[in-house]
Amino acid sequence: MKLIRWGNPGKEKTGVLINDIKYDTSAFGEDYNEQFFETDGLARLKKFLADHSGKLQQVGANERLGSPVARPSKILCIGLNYADHAKETGVALPTEPVLFLKSTTALGGPFDDVVIPKDSVKTDWEVELAIVIGKKASYVDEADALNYVAGYMLHNDVTERGFQFERGGTWDKGKGCDTFAPMGPFMATADEIKDIDNMRLWLKVNGKTMQDGNTSNFIFNVPVVIAYVSKFMTLLPGDIISTGTPAGVGLGFNPPIYLKAGDVMELGIDGLGESKQVLKAYVKN
């Protein structure tokens, strides 16, 4: 299945994508959140779809898409997980996964605007594969790790490099700004993805290809990442783990290239669709 959420921010309804057509599943009566995943929601949704085959209403073509899953308890990210990206940033290859948190308030839809934060001059892009956790996970064995996956999504891990590297402390300052986690357009359930270790991912800025990578180049693959993270914290159903970005980020150019108001990011992953975000300048509300 391919899950979508649609409608105004904070008031999204649920839906599914079938043969590239969006259908409303709000009559199912649940959001795609922690409780949904924890209570075998995917199986119950599958039955709902079978029971309502041919009866679902289509979602309007102009309706906004939100994040495919509701705000999770946490968004975890793996840094420097592609050798080519580690090289372009000038750091040694990590011997263990680099782990940081991205604020849940950064979560947004796949076609929402990205707002350049106040005082930012180094906002950057990062196309990434995101994992959605399907059941509570703690001290997971690597061999069993994929059994904890509900599905996968496209994620743009937007980052402010000055906040990340020049303001002291951890990376989180540059990662968690509002609008900095566009997800989707849909969550594909795990059975939809045939080879998680061979998925092309790409990103363009103003029509120019900046990133063109493949998950075959992971330093730490999906089972390793899930097992590793679960050693340090309990993963809850609906939690998101973003698995890192390939080479081609703005920081890696000489001189670096950063985003400005009016720029357009387009990105995609094999089997997980495409998204597009326009950069907007910060304006005080």
Side-chain angles (χ1 to χ4, degrees), residues 116-117 120-125 158-160 180 258-259 279:
I116 298 173
S120 166
V121 294
K122 296 182 179 180
T123 295
D124 203 350
W125 58 85
V158 185
T159 306
E160 213 296 335
F180 268 26
Y258 294 119
L259 296 162
L279 276 295

Side-chain angles (χ1 to χ4, degrees), residues 193-255:
I193 305 301
K194 303 308 178 187
D195 188 358
I196 198 65
D197 291 317
N198 185 24
M199 299 177 72
R200 178 177 176 249
L201 61 170
W202 56 269
L203 182 143
K204 298 178 181 179
V205 177
N206 300 328
K208 181 179 179 180
T209 298
M210 310 302 281
Q211 293 184 275
D212 192 350
N214 194 290
T215 58
S216 61
N217 293 316
F218 277 146
I219 298 173
F220 307 105
N221 66 17
V222 170
V224 170
V225 163
I226 294 170
Y228 183 85
V229 173
S230 75
K231 294 177 181 179
F232 301 99
M233 64 193 76
T234 296
L235 297 169
L236 297 178
D239 279 357
I240 296 169
I241 304 176
S242 200
T243 56
T245 198
V249 300
L251 174 68
F253 288 87
N254 186 17

Side-chain angles (χ1 to χ4, degrees), residues 22-226:
K22 299 187 285 288
Y23 292 97
D24 179 8
T25 63
S26 55
F28 179 66
E30 302 176 38
D31 203 352
Y32 301 149
N33 56 20
E34 180 180 337
Q35 183 177 6
F36 168 80
F37 290 109
E38 186 175 30
T39 57
D40 208 16
L42 290 175
R44 291 185 292 105
L45 178 62
K46 186 175 182 179
K47 183 178 185 303
F48 172 86
L49 294 176
D51 291 345
H52 293 78
S53 179
K55 302 175 184 177
L56 297 177
Q57 297 294 313
Q58 292 188 29
V59 175
N62 294 325
E63 292 284 356
R64 169 189 173 268
L65 288 179
S67 167
V69 299
R71 185 185 296 179
S73 79
K74 48 192 170 292
I75 301 172
L76 300 148
C77 298
I78 307 301
L80 305 172
N81 199 23
Y82 290 75
D84 54 1
H85 175 55
K87 181 179 179 180
E88 73 176 349
T89 60
V91 300
L93 294 184
T95 56
E96 295 188 33
V98 175
L99 179 62
F100 61 90
L101 288 162
K102 199 171 181 80
S103 67
T104 59
T105 50
L107 192 65
F111 303 102
D112 290 349
D113 294 338
V114 167
V115 177
I116 298 173
K118 182 180 179 181
D119 301 324
S120 166
V121 294
K122 296 182 179 180
T123 295
D124 203 350
W125 58 85
E126 294 190 8
V127 60
E128 304 200 4
L129 169 71
I131 307 162
V132 180
I133 297 297
K135 58 184 178 179
K136 189 175 180 180
S138 180
Y139 296 104
V140 171
D141 290 332
E142 186 178 321
D144 193 37
L146 292 181
N147 292 323
Y148 289 82
V149 176
Y152 301 95
M153 300 185 295
L154 170 64
H155 174 215
N156 189 354
D157 176 21
V158 185
T159 306
E160 213 296 335
R161 300 299 184 188
F163 296 178
Q164 180 184 12
F165 295 123
E166 300 167 17
R167 300 296 294 270
T170 68
W171 288 8
D172 299 12
K173 293 177 184 178
K175 295 288 188 174
C177 304
D178 292 352
T179 74
F180 268 26
M183 297 280 179
F186 55 81
M187 187 204 85
T189 51
D191 59 303
E192 293 265 351
I193 305 301
K194 303 308 178 187
D195 188 358
I196 198 65
D197 291 317
N198 185 24
M199 299 177 72
R200 178 177 176 249
L201 61 170
W202 56 269
L203 182 143
K204 298 178 181 179
V205 177
N206 300 328
K208 181 179 179 180
T209 298
M210 310 302 281
Q211 293 184 275
D212 192 350
N214 194 290
T215 58
S216 61
N217 293 316
F218 277 146
I219 298 173
F220 307 105
N221 66 17
V222 170
V224 170
V225 163
I226 294 170

